[in-house]
Amino acid sequence: MPDDLDKYRQGDVLDLAYVPVLTNDGLVREEPTPEGVVVVTQTCDLVLRKRPTLHVARIISLNDIDAKPARNGRQPNLVHIPELGEKSFADLTFVATLDKSILSQVSARPGVLQIDDVRRFGQRVGRRFSRFAFPDEVVPWLRPLQKIVEGKDGNLDSPVGWALDHVVSLRLECEEGWKTTPYALTLCVVLNPGVIASFEPDELPEFPGDLAGWLYDNEGNLRRKVAEIALRLKGGEKLMGAAERYWLWGGFADALAALCIPPVSEPSSVRTAVEEGRIRGDLSTSEEFSFERYRRSDEIDLDHLSPPLPLREAK
């Protein structure tokens, strides 16, 4: 084991040619890592001599289109490595356990340096292994949202892709916890700081009458689709006032939530799983989203929604 363990950090890049993968016949194959590997073990564990192993993930490069959403954290199995450039990622589908003695045999260099990058790297590695598995009956409600985000997320030329680029997080909040159906659910659309002006709850800006009529009918039902609202947001970004921008982004959040309807072919247990048969939309910025709401909500990793568990025969 190296004497200088304290110089290594989570996010360090190691020039390792392969990682071991155990196959179903009990043999170990060598998974090539031509771009090296990155250390995913937490620094506090990495530097302790009493812990003899470390964990690494292989490094891969993505094309420009796929790299943008991955950098934004949309794919939990991919974690950006800033010091290697915009297209380099830790691929957490290939994580290997190595003896720390390997550190004496390979060169190492930092993959993350800036403190914000260090925190983000650690958080996203941790998220991969701590994601909440939504109840089976809720997953079909989120599939339509998954389709539109997957289709537009990397395409910033589209209005929807442009709008999603301003969204830092999509979270699902269950008002009473996940104890029993029907669940009272809210889709929390959390924007980057500065996208909308901040208003106190009792001092919201006046809702312009023409905009209100364009977005909602007399009964408060949404008239517009996600793409229509995103087009108006993008087209008028430099001209609209703070009030119009606030209410349009609120409509965008409502439109994303309105997508969340399961197919009629789903069983009754799915169609009745959500209170009032709809998921509500809510808009905030990352500065306004409280820690309490963070605790009672869960990140929606849309590209990794778990399929229902297979039915098991009663014993």
Side-chain angles (χ1 to χ4, degrees):
M1 185 178 297
D3 295 327
D4 55 353
L5 278 178
D6 58 349
K7 77 175 186 179
Y8 294 98
R9 295 290 182 270
Q10 184 184 57
D12 281 355
V13 174
L14 308 180
D15 293 324
L16 199 65
Y18 69 90
V19 291
V21 176
L22 183 66
T23 64
N24 60 4
D25 55 6
L27 300 178
V28 176
R29 68 176 174 85
E30 298 177 353
E31 177 66 27
T33 54
E35 300 183 47
V37 300
V38 62
V39 176
V40 295
T41 297
Q42 289 182 323
T43 300
C44 56
D45 291 325
L46 186 61
V47 300
L48 291 178
R49 301 188 64 79
K50 64 181 180 181
R51 299 186 180 172
T53 61
L54 74 154
H55 298 92
V56 299
R58 73 171 180 179
I59 297 172
I60 62 171
S61 294
L62 301 180
N63 58 46
D64 289 330
I65 294 176
D66 294 334
K68 174 65 177 180
R71 284 196 304 273
N72 288 343
R74 301 295 191 208
Q75 294 179 262
N77 65 304
L78 298 176
V79 181
H80 185 219
I81 310 172
E83 296 303 311
L84 298 187
E86 294 188 342
K87 302 178 184 179
S88 294
F89 296 84
D91 179 6
L92 300 181
T93 56
F94 285 93
V95 175
T97 301
L98 306 177
D99 192 282
K100 285 182 180 178
S101 62
I102 197 73
L103 295 172
S104 302
Q105 305 171 29
V106 297
S107 61
R109 61 191 187 279
V112 289
L113 280 176
Q114 303 302 318
I115 187 62
D116 286 346
D117 292 334
V118 171
R119 293 183 68 251
R120 187 178 300 110
F121 185 89
Q123 288 168 352
R124 290 186 174 170
V125 169
R127 191 185 78 174
R128 164 67 169 163
F129 301 101
S130 62
R131 289 173 296 155
F132 175 66
F134 292 108
D136 291 344
E137 59 267 26
V138 170
V139 171
W141 288 77
L142 302 176
R143 293 290 185 196
L145 181 63
Q146 177 185 32
K147 289 181 180 179
I148 195 167
V149 171
E150 285 184 341
K152 303 295 184 182
D153 201 5
N155 182 11
L156 297 185
D157 293 330
S158 75
V160 175
W162 173 89
L164 289 171
D165 192 48
H166 291 72
V167 176
V168 69
S169 181
L170 293 172
R171 305 183 66 83
L172 195 62
E173 181 180 51
C174 188
E175 188 174 313
E176 301 295 334
W178 300 96
K179 298 177 182 178
T180 184
T181 59
Y183 305 116
L185 300 182
T186 300
L187 174 66
C188 303
V189 179
V190 185
L191 301 177
N192 285 307
V195 177
I196 56 173
S198 180
F199 300 99
E200 294 296 328
D202 57 347
E203 297 180 2
L204 295 181
E206 183 178 350
F207 201 160
D210 59 338
L211 178 60
W214 185 82
L215 276 172
Y216 303 96
D217 63 22
N218 292 333
E219 297 179 352
N221 299 310
L222 192 67
R223 292 180 184 269
R224 304 296 170 178
K225 303 295 186 183
V226 171
E228 294 177 276
I229 300 173
L231 180 62
R232 182 159 175 170
L233 275 168
K234 184 179 182 182
E237 174 68 10
K238 297 179 180 179
L239 301 174
M240 69 178 66
E244 183 180 1
R245 181 180 292 109
Y246 176 87
W247 291 111
L248 263 179
W249 275 108
F252 183 76
D254 287 343
L256 288 178
L259 290 172
C260 300
I261 297 293
V264 294
S265 58
E266 291 289 343
S268 175
S269 60
V270 169
R271 290 183 280 109
T272 60
V274 176
E275 190 175 274
E276 298 180 359
R278 70 184 185 96
I279 295 177
R280 294 179 292 274
D282 179 80
L283 181 72
S284 65
T285 66
S286 58
E287 296 169 315
E288 301 166 335
F289 198 69
S290 70
F291 182 65
E292 182 58 33
R293 295 197 71 187
Y294 179 86
R295 289 181 58 194
R296 66 171 184 257
S297 64
D298 297 280
E299 182 88 17
I300 305 175
D301 289 326
L302 290 165
D303 60 339
H304 282 266
L305 289 175
S306 302
L309 294 172
L311 295 176
R312 296 179 178 178
E313 294 183 2
K315 294 183 178 180

